[in-house]
Amino acid sequence: MIEWLHPGLIFILGALLIPVLKGKWKQIYLLLLPIVALIDLLYMSKGVFWRLPLLEYELVFGRVDQLSLVFGYVFVIASFCMTLYALHVKEDGQHVAAFLYVGSTLGVVFAGDLFTLYLFWEVMAFSSLFLIWYRKTKASSEAGFRYIMVHIFGGICLLAGIILHLQNTGSIAFDSFNWGTGWGYLSSYFILVGFLINAAVPPLHAWLSDAYPEATVTGAVFLTAFTTKSAIYVLIRGFPGVELLIWLGAIMAVYGVIYAVLATDARRLLAYSIISQGGYMVAGVGIGTWMAINGSIAHALSCILYMALLFMGAGAVLEMTGRSKFTELGGLYKYMPLTFWLYMIGAFSISGFPLFSGFVSKTMVIGSAAIVHQPIVWLLLEGAAIGTFLVAGLKLPYLTWFARKEKGPVVEVKAKEPPKNMLAAMGVTAFLCIFIGVYPQALYGILPYAVDYAPYAAGHVVAMSQLLLFTFVAFWLLRGMLHGTPTITLDTDWFYRIAGKRFIWFCEKPLLDFADSIDRVLKDLANSFAWFSRNPTAASRIMLLTIGAVVARPFNPAYMRYERDLEELRGMYPGETVHRVAIGTGVLLVLMFFTLYLIIYLTHGVLWV
Amino acid sequence: MDMGIKMEQKHLFGILYVCLVMSILAGVLVHLFIPSHAAFLWQEIPGFSAIYGFIGCILIIIVSKALGHYWLQKEEDYYEKH
């Protein structure tokens, strides 16, 4: 058995050479790396490779089984399409960041222990950050900061969970975690939170819809696939059959759709669609039957491809027109018909039209919700399918390529089709989407469990067709309501954008004022003690007289005299130190004290030791 | 909109109507001739998916627009101002 090179390493080490190459050679090299990685993957045998001893533990960089291989295949194939899409980008940094991102994701996928997982998890977060920052706008740099803050928080949760887990079990192997309620499962909770942040499960999802739309045109395409889908992978490994996930997933699917309806930016709409699609996968992991897990994996794989295609389409529009807001778009069909049709293949796939990729995977998850008899989950997931078609298949293309603005200044967009490499990338991805839809055995054949599911049963096809066709009817009737207005929609990022700001304001203003006032009171107290001790007798006289003046005022018509005395005394203060005592008196007092002490000592013994 | 697009639109809507009717008919046929293994009561209704698609879509649009209008949607510079 040959231990092949780790496919992640091909990307990570390969990325280092990118800045050295120039022009055509660089482009060839960029495309060659994913192909080499794919060949490497195809010839890889199953087993556990690349073990590395670290202290008393053993790091496992290569746990190769069917589950990790499947994700590996699709990540590498998708990275080829995305690299092709980004081929015209001149900045080496973007390519390097993207390749590190892909490589570290493959590292996560093949990680056999929790330390390795954590290592690549962090590299993934930081390398992807640069795909956002390279947009070089104020919005992108701020969104990038929020993005990395959330991911650092997620990473800390993961690390805390790993350490607790290590303490409880003494093992760093990455297998399914214990699940239950109680403090004993704290490590699992921490790890789950870390995973759920990356899977963008509400309410921990806002980093995605906040940052992805601000990423570069090509960077966003990379971002769609790796973070969220590798999170699904680790959920399948770690938490299969955890019932909580069913509900989180079902809510997530509908949540994403509702926000996508409100979205006013094309790429933000798609970002919410990623969240919504993730809901199916999370729910599938929660259901946990073989068919559901298979469905989750299949849906993750087809989602990687069609989501990339959709972002490529919206990105092409942004690249050519500089616009992604619905209020500024419309009527582009004249200029970009090819982009439109390629986008629509992605839209039909995400909506789950028969003969497109979403159909053969989404229905598996919905079907397994029916088998375990979860009517509410079924209705939510089916409802999210309606909404998905509504937003990604109807709203976005309608407002981008067709609807013209009657009101307001006419913004005439002079656009043309995007560069050839972008079109080619979209073509390849679109082909794959249709290929999986027409020939689902290609997808089912590589799933880890045997597939006993016929997507093209007459009942399924008819039900899905009815669902989508009548969704279109409803959309056409209400299409006027979907025109964007220049607004933003508040999401859970409000809590760290506004509540966070207010918290800092609270610390800086009221809290500091309070601290200041305590400070002042203490200082005054100290000052008054100092004043008092300068001349205690005079000070106590002044105090007594002050009280007397206040008390006597209502009764004594001659209180004015008191006041005058007081003024005088205050003026003299501290004045002469009081009552000097002759030194003999002092000595006498001391002697008396010693005598007293001697008597006590003789009668009672030592008073203190 | 010029005449050509209008004609084309009319044509497309013709196709749509045919598809709608055919999907309902196919639904009824499937219901009659293929033994069902419905997991839920509502799957016994022929054309349930059509009804759910139509009503579901209207509900999604109205509910989310209402949520947006009364609660979630703010002016674009909300985060700069607050």
Side-chain angles (χ1 to χ4, degrees):
Chain A
M1 198 181 288
I2 313 158
E3 292 192 11
W4 291 84
L5 193 61
H6 191 303
L9 210 62
I10 296 179
F11 281 94
I12 292 173
L13 291 183
L16 302 177
L17 265 181
I18 294 172
V20 182
L21 296 165
K22 289 262 174 304
K24 274 264 176 308
W25 288 107
K26 184 162 78 189
Q27 297 190 331
I28 293 169
Y29 176 74
L30 284 172
L31 287 177
L32 213 58
L33 274 184
I35 295 174
V36 172
L38 183 64
I39 294 169
D40 180 48
L41 266 178
L42 287 174
Y43 283 96
M44 209 149 72
S45 42
K46 289 177 192 168
V48 178
F49 308 121
W50 311 302
R51 300 149 188 258
L52 203 76
L54 175 90
L55 303 176
E56 67 226 72
Y57 307 108
E58 188 181 50
L59 300 186
V60 179
F61 284 88
R63 172 190 22 200
V64 186
D65 56 10
Q66 196 57 36
L67 181 57
S68 49
L69 271 180
V70 176
F71 273 88
Y73 291 146
V74 177
F75 279 145
V76 171
I77 292 171
S79 75
F80 174 80
C81 301
M82 295 163 180
T83 308
L84 181 59
Y85 185 78
L87 211 58
H88 63 282
V89 172
K90 292 279 185 291
E91 281 162 318
D92 291 331
Q94 286 203 47
H95 293 300
V96 173
F99 274 49
L100 287 179
Y101 182 38
V102 178
S104 54
T105 311
L106 289 170
V108 165
V109 167
F110 290 106
D113 70 281
L114 294 168
F115 285 170
T116 313
L117 174 76
Y118 177 73
L119 171 77
F120 285 116
W121 197 262
E122 291 294 321
V123 177
M124 202 163 76
F126 279 92
S127 52
S128 56
L129 171 63
F130 287 91
L131 297 174
I132 300 163
W133 273 350
Y134 261 107
R135 182 88 178 276
K136 293 174 182 166
T137 59
K138 186 167 170 281
S140 73
S141 84
E142 288 174 359
F145 261 115
R146 292 191 291 270
Y147 171 87
I148 198 63
M149 286 311 214
V150 174
H151 280 286
I152 288 172
F153 172 74
I156 289 170
C157 284
L158 180 61
L159 185 62
I162 290 173
I163 291 169
L164 281 174
H165 178 78
L166 177 61
Q167 213 167 30
N168 293 344
T169 64
S171 146
I172 57 164
F174 176 26
D175 296 308
S176 72
F177 300 101
N178 295 324
W179 187 257
T181 43
W183 288 106
Y185 300 98
L186 197 62
S187 62
S188 303
Y189 300 157
F190 271 116
I191 293 175
L192 184 67
V193 169
F195 287 176
L196 291 184
I197 285 180
N198 267 27
V201 177
L204 308 171
H205 67 288
W207 58 269
L208 192 156
S209 48
D210 179 22
Y212 282 14
E214 305 298 344
T216 64
V217 168
T218 57
V221 175
F222 279 95
L223 288 168
T224 58
F226 299 100
T227 304
T228 48
K229 301 315 177 286
S230 62
I232 297 298
Y233 166 83
V234 292
L235 280 175
I236 293 172
R237 282 261 185 235
F239 299 96
V242 172
E243 206 193 328
L244 173 71
L245 293 179
I246 306 180
W247 294 101
L248 283 178
I251 292 167
M252 179 176 170
V254 175
Y255 189 101
V257 158
I258 288 177
Y259 270 85
V261 173
L262 295 175
T264 52
D265 179 289
R267 294 201 302 168
R268 186 152 282 125
L269 181 150
L270 291 176
Y272 277 115
S273 298
I274 299 180
I275 294 171
S276 169
Q277 293 303 299
Y280 291 93
M281 302 160 211
V282 172
V285 178
I287 293 168
T289 58
W290 282 13
M291 178 176 158
I293 297 279
N294 264 343
S296 276
I297 300 167
H299 200 50
L301 306 187
S302 47
C303 183
I304 288 170
L305 294 171
Y306 62 63
M307 220 60 235
L309 178 54
L310 294 173
F311 261 85
M312 286 177 185
V317 171
L318 174 62
E319 176 89 4
M320 302 319 290
T321 64
R323 297 162 188 204
S324 65
K325 282 182 188 157
F326 292 130
T327 43
E328 298 170 352
L329 287 169
L332 283 179
Y333 185 73
K334 262 194 293 190
Y335 308 105
M336 306 176 79
L338 209 52
T339 311
F340 166 74
W341 285 111
L342 288 167
Y343 172 90
M344 282 316 283
I345 291 174
F348 289 141
S349 301
I350 192 177
S351 313
F353 269 83
L355 299 181
F356 292 90
S357 64
F359 178 74
V360 303
S361 55
K362 188 187 288 182
T363 50
M364 267 177 109
V365 178
I366 299 179
S368 38
I371 288 174
V372 297
H373 214 82
Q374 288 276 14
I376 297 171
V377 173
W378 189 90
L379 283 174
L380 286 174
L381 292 180
E382 195 83 349
I386 300 170
T388 303
F389 178 46
L390 169 68
V391 295
L394 296 170
K395 179 187 169 183
L396 191 153
Y398 175 70
L399 293 179
T400 306
W401 280 282
F402 297 102
R404 304 229 188 107
K405 308 289 168 292
E406 275 95 26
K407 285 178 283 183
V410 184
V411 272
E412 188 58 32
V413 190
K414 284 272 177 272
K416 53 183 197 298
E417 297 284 5
K420 282 200 186 68
N421 67 303
M422 287 171 117
L423 281 177
M426 293 173 77
V428 174
T429 320
F431 168 79
L432 290 171
C433 287
I434 296 176
F435 177 73
I436 292 174
V438 175
Y439 185 66
Q441 283 73 24
L443 181 63
Y444 292 169
I446 53 171
L447 293 178
Y449 303 114
V451 177
D452 175 30
Y453 177 72
Y456 285 107
H460 292 159
V461 176
V462 169
M464 197 49 125
S465 310
Q466 286 184 355
L467 192 80
L468 297 176
L469 282 168
F470 281 85
T471 301
F472 177 81
V473 176
F475 159 77
W476 195 254
L477 294 175
L478 297 179
R479 65 187 187 281
M481 286 180 75
L482 291 171
H483 279 285
T485 45
T487 49
I488 58 160
T489 311
L490 299 187
D491 203 342
T492 52
D493 52 347
W494 185 88
F495 288 99
Y496 47 84
R497 295 178 73 170
I498 296 294
K501 224 191 250 176
R502 291 197 185 148
F503 177 72
I504 289 172
W505 173 86
F506 172 78
C507 289
E508 280 178 347
K509 292 277 159 176
L511 207 60
L512 267 185
D513 284 353
F514 178 65
D516 274 351
S517 66
I518 287 185
D519 204 33
R520 222 173 307 118
V521 167
L522 285 177
K523 256 185 205 153
D524 286 354
L525 204 65
N527 283 341
S528 62
F529 273 122
W531 173 82
F532 183 83
S533 56
R534 257 186 248 150
N535 189 344
T537 356
S540 24
R541 267 188 72 201
I542 291 175
M543 281 161 75
L544 275 175
L545 278 174
T546 314
I547 295 168
V550 173
V551 175
R553 184 177 300 189
F555 310 110
N556 189 353
Y559 76 89
M560 292 286 283
R561 219 188 33 220
Y562 270 122
E563 301 257 303
R564 231 178 300 121
D565 286 357
L566 256 178
E567 286 300 307
E568 217 170 293
L569 270 172
R570 283 205 181 112
M572 275 157 64
Y573 191 81
E576 194 65 9
T577 331
V578 241
H579 301 300
R580 299 214 182 154
V581 186
I583 213 155
T585 326
V587 171
L588 184 69
L589 278 172
V590 171
L591 272 178
M592 274 165 72
F593 176 78
F594 275 123
T595 319
L596 198 66
Y597 180 74
L598 191 69
I599 293 167
I600 291 171
Y601 177 74
L602 290 176
T603 52
H604 290 82
V606 185
L607 270 187
W608 64 87
V609 184
Chain B
M1 231 179 262
D2 54 277
M3 285 303 282
I5 294 177
K6 220 164 208 167
M7 286 292 287
E8 201 179 312
Q9 213 175 36
K10 220 173 184 180
H11 196 65
L12 283 174
F13 270 90
I15 297 173
L16 176 70
Y17 293 135
V18 172
C19 284
L20 292 176
V21 174
M22 272 182 29
S23 74
I24 294 291
L25 281 181
V28 173
L29 285 179
V30 166
H31 201 72
L32 289 179
F33 293 108
I34 296 176
S36 79
H37 40 267
F40 308 115
L41 209 60
W42 56 72
Q43 286 176 312
E44 304 282 0
I45 309 167
F48 169 77
S49 292
I51 301 165
Y52 193 53
F54 186 72
I55 295 175
C57 183
I58 290 177
L59 270 181
I60 288 173
I61 294 180
I62 289 176
V63 168
S64 32
K65 279 287 163 186
L67 276 177
H69 189 261
Y70 292 107
W71 183 25
L72 297 171
Q73 283 191 316
K74 304 280 174 206
E75 64 282 16
E76 274 183 323
D77 53 357
Y78 175 84
Y79 281 117
E80 280 84 60
K81 275 190 188 160
H82 287 77

